[in-house]
Amino acid sequence: MQFRYRAVDGDGRIRRGTMDAANAADLELRLKRLALALISARPARALPGLLAGRIGRRELVSFCFHLEQTSRAGVPLIEGLVDLRDSVEHPRFRMVIAQLVEEIEGGRLFSQALALHPAVFNPLFVSLVRAGEASGQLVTVLANLAESLKWQDELAAQAKKVLSYPVFVAVVVVAVIAFLLSYLVPQLVEFMRSINQDLSFNTRLLIALSELLVGYGAWLLLLPPVLWAGVLLWARRNPALALRLDALKLAAPFVGGTLKKLSLARFADQFGLLYSAGLPILDALAICESVVGNRAIAAALARVRVQIGQGGGIAASFEREQLFPPLVLRMLKVGEQTGGLDTGMRNVAYFFHRDVREAIARIQGLIEPTMTVVLGLLLLWVMSAVLGPIFDTIGRLR
């Protein structure tokens, strides 16, 4: 169970936090290993994942790098973990490392201890460490994991860049139009209606949109997030819908191709790591299905795994699913024929990584002028609908 505690460190400072323990005595022992003296404790509910402090890729990169360096220097793994436990700043990660130390001291293997924390160490991480233990190449595996995690962090940053900039510009455009319709147009409505002339269709449409926004603005503001949340909840309960939504992401205009390349780059890098660590191809594909990040691609990988299991060639099986472009398929075929499939997959990852960077640069270059033109056209329509009746009236006065 989880306890909320107050403790004092060696400098006399009060520390507060939460920790998993079997009972109060177990909690006191765990805190003692962290150089903390227990003052008081009480049972507490575990915090939700976001509130508990998410452990990100940067913490995992530091974890792998530290253990790789200490192991390479001949320091036993348990001592490296103890040093890391005493130096890490992230409170939740510090608690996780302390539990790893206890579990290894209790007789578990490193990979078995990692598997007890699936929210922190995913199946790919655990499988690579298990393969490294079995082959005696744990140091190499940790070094490869650190590089892979840094690369994945860069990919995630690029994916956010692809999606966040269009969303930001669209929000700005919508906000400008909403301001004009809710503030400027209502002030001119009475004047436009008092000129006693037939209003154009554009003007009538503008007035109708303004009245709709003023009367139901709050509902219109709440409707999109409510619909989005409803779709997400439905997708969680309906695997077919979730699969369809992920397929639509890959087919989305402008960003769909880039998102597909991001997912495939992640898969190629992870598959290369697993294969080079000594895992069988079918096991490596099965692990990649759970961590690739897109259900449509995961389903395609499952079909590839079935075809390979039935005796099909690796490159030929990928070609049937049309996951990769011809150049990448040729690289896979060469890697399969020469026995350097891990090198081939690393080349595939590099190929997609380069393509993603270039695609993001192109998208950003196109979005800025496109959004400027769209905003200009919308403002032109609003101004023409507002000023048209005024110019007509001035013309009649002449």
Side-chain angles (χ1 to χ4, degrees), residues 321-398:
E321 290 298 325
Q322 300 180 348
L323 277 177
F324 294 142
L327 174 61
V328 176
L329 290 173
R330 282 197 295 272
M331 294 166 64
L332 280 174
K333 189 175 297 184
V334 171
E336 183 181 4
Q337 293 172 350
T338 60
L341 188 59
D342 53 340
T343 303
M345 295 305 292
R346 294 294 181 87
N347 291 335
V348 169
Y350 171 79
F351 174 84
F352 280 122
H353 194 192
R354 186 196 64 187
D355 255 20
V356 165
R357 287 199 304 267
E358 295 175 354
I360 289 173
R362 288 196 300 268
I363 290 173
Q364 288 181 326
L366 289 173
I367 284 175
E368 293 180 14
T370 301
M371 289 300 185
T372 302
V373 170
V374 170
L375 180 59
L377 292 174
L378 288 172
L379 291 176
L380 177 64
W381 172 68
V382 172
M383 291 298 102
S384 65
V386 170
L387 298 178
I390 298 176
F391 289 151
D392 289 342
T393 301
I394 293 175
R396 290 183 181 183
L397 291 177
R398 294 179 180 177

Side-chain angles (χ1 to χ4, degrees), residues 74-96:
V75 178
L77 177 65
I78 190 69
E79 294 183 15
L81 284 170
V82 170
D83 292 341
L84 187 60
R85 178 198 65 189
D86 296 338
S87 61
V88 72
E89 296 180 358
H90 195 292
R92 185 182 172 212
F93 198 29
R94 189 183 186 194
M95 182 179 70
V96 169

Side-chain angles (χ1 to χ4, degrees), residues 28 40 110 133 137 193 199 226 262 363 395:
E28 185 174 7
S40 63
F110 184 37
E133 288 175 331
Q137 298 294 322
R193 286 176 173 170
L199 300 178
V226 169
L262 279 168
I363 290 173

Side-chain angles (χ1 to χ4, degrees), residues 2-18:
Q2 194 168 60
F3 288 88
R4 189 180 299 278
Y5 66 83
R6 288 176 67 246
V8 61
D9 61 15
D11 297 328
R13 291 177 295 183
I14 299 297
R15 299 290 186 92
R16 294 178 174 84
T18 58

Side-chain angles (χ1 to χ4, degrees), residues 62-75 80 139 142-143:
S62 298
F63 177 84
C64 293
F65 179 76
H66 178 92
L67 293 181
E68 182 252 331
Q69 292 295 311
T70 54
S71 298
R72 196 179 294 277
V75 178
V139 174
L142 289 171

Side-chain angles (χ1 to χ4, degrees), residues 17-267:
T18 58
M19 181 176 287
D20 289 323
N23 48 48
D26 183 35
L27 174 66
E28 185 174 7
L29 179 61
R30 291 176 182 237
L31 290 174
K32 186 177 180 180
R33 290 174 178 172
L34 296 175
L36 296 174
L38 179 64
I39 298 175
S40 63
R42 58 185 176 85
R45 292 183 179 178
L47 292 173
L50 291 177
L51 297 178
R54 182 176 177 273
I55 298 173
R57 290 190 186 92
R58 293 186 179 181
E59 286 78 17
L60 294 177
V61 168
S62 298
F63 177 84
C64 293
F65 179 76
H66 178 92
L67 293 181
E68 182 252 331
Q69 292 295 311
T70 54
S71 298
R72 196 179 294 277
V75 178
L77 177 65
I78 190 69
E79 294 183 15
L81 284 170
V82 170
D83 292 341
L84 187 60
R85 178 198 65 189
D86 296 338
S87 61
V88 72
E89 296 180 358
H90 195 292
R92 185 182 172 212
F93 198 29
R94 189 183 186 194
M95 182 179 70
V96 169
I97 295 172
Q99 293 173 354
L100 291 177
V101 171
E102 293 179 4
E103 288 150 5
I104 294 174
E105 288 178 340
R108 295 184 188 274
L109 294 175
F110 184 37
S111 58
Q112 293 173 336
L114 295 175
L116 297 176
H117 303 275
V120 181
F121 306 104
N122 63 23
L124 174 74
F125 198 105
V126 176
S127 297
L128 283 171
V129 171
R130 184 181 296 118
E133 288 175 331
S135 62
Q137 298 294 322
L138 183 59
V139 174
T140 303
V141 166
L142 289 171
N144 291 337
L145 264 173
E147 290 300 319
S148 177
L149 288 167
K150 286 191 287 187
W151 187 73
Q152 289 177 40
D153 195 54
E154 184 179 348
L155 284 181
Q158 290 174 346
K160 290 177 182 177
K161 190 181 296 185
V162 170
L163 296 174
S164 60
Y165 187 78
V167 171
F168 171 76
V169 177
V171 168
V172 171
V173 171
V174 171
V176 170
I177 299 302
F179 169 76
L180 294 175
L181 292 177
S182 61
Y183 179 76
L184 178 62
V185 174
Q187 295 185 12
L188 299 175
V189 167
E190 293 302 324
F191 170 76
M192 288 187 290
R193 286 176 173 170
S194 67
I195 59 180
N196 295 323
Q197 69 175 23
D198 293 334
L199 300 178
S200 66
F201 172 77
N202 283 342
T203 304
R204 294 197 306 272
L205 177 60
L206 183 67
I207 293 173
L209 290 176
S210 176
E211 292 175 344
L212 178 66
L213 184 62
V214 171
Y216 303 97
W219 293 104
L220 293 175
L221 185 65
L222 290 174
L223 186 60
V226 169
L227 286 176
W228 181 248
V231 170
L232 291 180
L233 289 175
W234 188 14
R236 286 185 179 181
R237 300 182 179 182
N238 189 333
L241 176 62
L243 178 64
R244 180 60 179 166
L245 289 176
D246 277 3
L248 289 175
K249 289 179 188 177
L250 302 180
F254 300 112
V255 299
T258 303
L259 292 177
K260 181 179 180 180
K261 290 175 182 177
L262 279 168
S263 294
L264 291 178
R266 187 183 301 117
F267 156 72

Side-chain angles (χ1 to χ4, degrees), residues 237-310:
R237 300 182 179 182
N238 189 333
L241 176 62
L243 178 64
R244 180 60 179 166
L245 289 176
D246 277 3
L248 289 175
K249 289 179 188 177
L250 302 180
F254 300 112
V255 299
T258 303
L259 292 177
K260 181 179 180 180
K261 290 175 182 177
L262 279 168
S263 294
L264 291 178
R266 187 183 301 117
F267 156 72
D269 177 68
Q270 294 170 347
F271 182 81
L273 278 177
L274 291 165
Y275 185 79
S276 62
L279 268 75
I281 290 177
L282 296 182
D283 293 343
L285 284 172
I287 294 171
C288 288
E289 290 170 26
S290 62
V291 297
V292 74
N294 186 282
R295 294 178 181 85
I297 293 179
L301 291 177
R303 293 191 294 270
V304 168
R305 181 161 56 89
V306 171
Q307 294 174 29
I308 295 175
Q310 294 174 348

